[in-house]
């Protein structure tokens, strides 16, 4: 039995279309998906790093006057896959710790997971910060890289790689294998799920209960 399960969020715990994520939800709300694609392609092509990409996103959000009230509205459009609450409670009852490591918008993640927050040890994501007028002003995150996040968990929990299962679905999850933990690709987006170096197993499912055989 695993001691810790680390989840990605967008497309792993949620029902999304290919390429959809919490950032895309924000850009769509602002009617600026073209600007999203423009900035993301420049980031992917190495024209600026992650912090540079994020700074440009925040500058755009300021321009469009993204309001804090949009967070609840956008979170309401995000749907979890089946059995999230049941599985999280089961893990909690069995003393299996739950971590969430996302490069998505933490404000949305916190709202969507409000009913299961009591079962989660930690959530990492990008938190949008708002000024006194409730307009976005900056962003904050602790750890950008999922590999380093899991390495930190192993140090904090004093556990071995075999004690941890990581569950994700995208290319930005594929450095996790370097930690030595077991990896499960759940509902692949742009992940190379057939690559056994990156992913020990891969499944397509509408219910989180289907991961239990990899944990218990």
């Amino acid at each position: 039995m695993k001691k810790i399960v680390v989840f990605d969020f967008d497309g792993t715990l949620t029902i999304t279309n290919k390429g959809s994520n919490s950032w895309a939800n924000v850009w769509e709300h602002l009617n600026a998906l073209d600007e999203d694609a423009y900035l993301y392609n420049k980031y992917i092509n190495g024209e600026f790093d992650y912090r540079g990409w994020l700074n440009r996103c925040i500058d755009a959000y300021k321009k469009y006057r993204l309001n804090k009230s949009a967070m609840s509205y956008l979170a309401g459009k995000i749907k979890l896959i089946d059995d999230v609450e049941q599985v999280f409670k089961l893990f909690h009852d069995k003393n299996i710790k739950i971590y969430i490591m996302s490069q998505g918008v933490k404000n949305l993640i916190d709202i969507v997971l409000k009913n299961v927050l009591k079962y989660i040890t930690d959530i990492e994501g990008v938190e949008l910060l708002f000024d006194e007028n409730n307009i976005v002003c900056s962003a904050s995150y602790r750890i950008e890289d999922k590999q380093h996040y899991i390495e930190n968990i192993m140090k904090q929990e004093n556990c071995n790689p075999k004690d941890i299962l990581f569950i994700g679905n995208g290319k930005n999850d594929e450095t996790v294998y370097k930690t030595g933990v077991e990896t499960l690709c759940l509902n692949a987006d742009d992940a190379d799920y057939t690559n056994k170096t990156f992913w020990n197993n891969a499944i397509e499912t509408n219910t989180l209960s289907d991961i239990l055989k990899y944990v218990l």
Side-chain angles (χ1 to χ4, degrees):
M1 186 169 72
K2 300 299 183 185
K3 296 179 180 178
I4 295 169
V5 181
V6 183
F7 290 93
D8 175 42
F9 182 74
D10 288 320
T12 300
L13 291 175
T14 67
I15 301 169
T16 63
N17 297 320
K18 295 287 186 182
S20 177
N21 55 52
S22 52
W23 292 108
N25 291 342
V26 174
W27 287 105
E28 183 177 18
H29 176 70
L30 299 173
N31 294 314
L33 284 173
D34 288 346
E35 191 164 353
D36 173 27
Y38 173 78
L39 291 175
Y40 187 72
N41 286 336
K42 283 187 171 292
Y43 165 55
I44 290 297
N45 291 332
E47 295 187 40
F48 34 76
D49 61 12
Y50 183 80
R51 172 51 74 175
W53 168 79
L54 182 57
N55 287 342
R56 287 165 174 81
C57 289
I58 298 302
D59 286 343
Y61 295 168
K62 289 179 185 177
K63 177 181 69 176
Y64 293 114
R65 297 186 64 77
L66 176 65
N67 194 286
K68 188 175 182 179
S69 63
M71 297 297 100
S72 294
Y73 169 74
L74 292 173
K77 299 174 68 175
I78 298 172
K79 304 301 180 186
L80 295 172
I81 66 172
D82 291 341
D83 290 353
V84 169
E85 186 166 2
Q86 294 92 322
V87 170
F88 278 24
K89 183 181 185 304
L90 175 64
F91 287 172
H92 178 265
D93 292 345
K94 290 183 173 294
N95 294 315
I96 299 170
K97 291 188 175 182
I98 299 167
Y99 286 79
I100 293 176
M101 172 56 189
S102 172
Q103 292 177 323
V105 181
K106 186 174 185 293
N107 312 64
L108 303 183
I109 297 169
D110 287 342
I111 297 171
V112 173
L113 295 178
K114 63 178 185 249
N115 291 333
V116 295
L117 288 176
K118 59 190 173 185
Y119 303 131
I120 301 170
T121 299
D122 183 61
I123 298 176
E124 172 62 10
V126 179
E127 183 174 7
L128 300 181
L129 304 176
F130 297 85
D131 64 19
E132 64 276 8
N133 296 313
N134 288 326
I135 302 300
V136 71
C137 60
S138 61
S140 173
Y141 65 90
R142 291 172 297 163
I143 301 175
E144 172 190 334
D145 184 85
K146 298 188 181 187
Q147 174 188 343
H148 294 147
Y149 183 77
I150 290 177
E151 288 170 348
N152 282 351
I153 291 174
M154 287 192 286
K155 290 177 184 177
Q156 292 166 10
E157 300 286 355
N158 191 28
C159 64
N160 297 315
K162 64 180 178 59
D163 296 322
I164 300 176
L165 173 67
F166 172 78
I167 303 176
N169 74 331
K171 276 190 177 300
N172 64 344
D173 300 321
E174 290 180 345
T175 60
V176 167
Y177 83 93
K178 296 178 182 178
T179 65
V181 305
E182 186 174 346
T183 56
L184 172 64
C185 186
L186 176 63
N187 298 334
D189 184 7
D190 58 353
D192 184 5
Y193 65 93
T194 62
N195 189 320
K196 290 298 184 180
T197 298
F198 300 150
W199 302 103
N200 298 108
N201 295 286
I203 58 172
E204 292 284 328
T205 182
N206 294 319
T207 173
L208 198 63
S209 296
D210 286 344
I211 72 168
L212 293 180
K213 63 182 179 180
Y214 302 100
V215 179
L216 304 179

